[in-house]
Structure formats: structure tokens, C-alpha cells
Amino acid sequence: MASNQEQASYRVGEAKGHTQEKTGQVMGAAKDKACEAKDRAAGLAGHASGQGQGATDAAKKKAVEAQDMTSEMAQAAKDKTVESKDTGSFLGEKTEAAKQKASETAQYAQERSSDAAQYAKESAVAGKDKTGGLLQQATETVKGAVVGAKDAVVNTLGMGGDNATKTGKDNSTITEKITGDH
């Protein structure tokens, strides 16, 4: 028959095996969650970057269209002036009005372009901030899982709670190795 000491030794070995298995499972799950968070954050960053580029391209297109419209209006006014030299002051007034309208149109297009560029910049910054928050959240989740696994190992091996103070053992080195905190 096995002695009490042999039975206790067997139980300790069995508990250690269970603890190692559970620790491996927790670490695997934590690693999976960290990878998922990283992939999600990378996807959001790419999406925010794509939105910013689309807004910038749209702003450039609108600016080019406004410039083309201004050029067409100025050319039309010039053509009207050449055709009707006899109507002097009337045509001069219309030409001046056309120039004023063209100037206003160009100013409007420039303002819209500036607004679109600012929006694109703000969208990119917001995407970056959101990505950083997700990465921080993933980091905290992984740290929590590691600390939980460490506590389970320490408690299973009988090194947690009151046992640590009774034996006089210092578990800080084990905690530092598991969590990476120094």
C-alpha cells in the first residue's frame, strides 16, 4: 500500500498537470483574443484611411469642376463682348457681372474643397484614435487573462493567499515572469 507521502506527492503532480493544462488553455484563448483585436483594429484603420482618401479625391474633383466652370463662364463673357461691340456699356455691365459670378463660383469651390480636405483629415484622425483605443482594450484583456491564469496556477500549487505568508515564500518573481511586469 502506498504511504500518505506518496499519495500526497501523486496528488501534487496531478494538480500540477491540471494547472499546466488550464494555463495553456487560458494563454491560447488570450492569444486568440489579442489577434482578433489586432485584426479588427487594422481593419478599422484601413477603413478610416480609405474614407479620408475618398473625401480628398472628391474635393479635388469638385475643385477642378469649379475651375472648369469658371473658365467656361469667362470665355462665354469674352465671346459675348467680341460679338456685340455696339452695345458698349450694357455689355460691359454684363461682362462685369459674369466676372463677379465667376469669382464667386471659384471662391465657393475653394471653400468646399477646403471643407472636404478638413473632413478627410478629421476622419483619418478619428480612425487612428479609435484604433488606438481598440489596441489598448485588447492589451488590457490579455493582461487580465494572464493575471487570472497566474492566480489559478499559484492557487493550485498552494502558493496563493494565506499559504504564501505561512511558508514565507515570495511569489513576486513568478508573477513578474508570467505577466512581464517588473
Side-chain angles (χ1 to χ4, degrees), residues 59-77 98 101-103 105-107 109-110:
K60 286 179 184 178
K61 183 178 178 183
K62 288 290 183 188
V64 168
E65 289 173 2
Q67 185 178 11
D68 291 346
M69 182 189 292
T70 303
S71 296
E72 289 173 9
M73 289 175 72
Q75 184 62 41
K101 186 68 174 175
S103 176
T105 302
Q107 178 67 27
Q110 184 179 10

Side-chain angles (χ1 to χ4, degrees), residues 36-54:
E36 287 174 20
K38 177 184 168 195
D39 292 344
R40 192 175 332 132
L44 288 172
H47 180 70
S49 177
Q51 284 181 338
Q53 184 63 37

Side-chain angles (χ1 to χ4, degrees), residues 116-180:
Q118 182 64 28
Y119 174 78
K121 179 181 175 184
E122 290 171 0
S123 294
V125 169
K128 178 183 168 193
D129 291 345
K130 188 172 183 177
T131 300
L134 287 173
L135 289 176
Q136 179 66 29
Q137 184 181 7
T139 300
E140 293 302 321
T141 301
V142 170
K143 281 184 179 179
V146 169
V147 168
K150 182 245 351 165
D151 289 344
V153 169
V154 168
N155 287 332
T156 301
L157 295 177
M159 296 190 303
D162 293 332
N163 291 342
T165 56
K166 289 179 185 174
T167 61
K169 290 184 180 177
D170 179 13
N171 294 327
S172 62
T173 306
I174 293 170
T175 304
E176 290 172 359
K177 286 181 181 176
I178 292 174
T179 64

Side-chain angles (χ1 to χ4, degrees), residues 6-19:
E6 288 173 341
Q7 288 178 352
S9 178
Y10 175 77
R11 284 190 204 117
V12 167
E14 190 175 56
K16 183 178 177 183
H18 288 294
T19 301

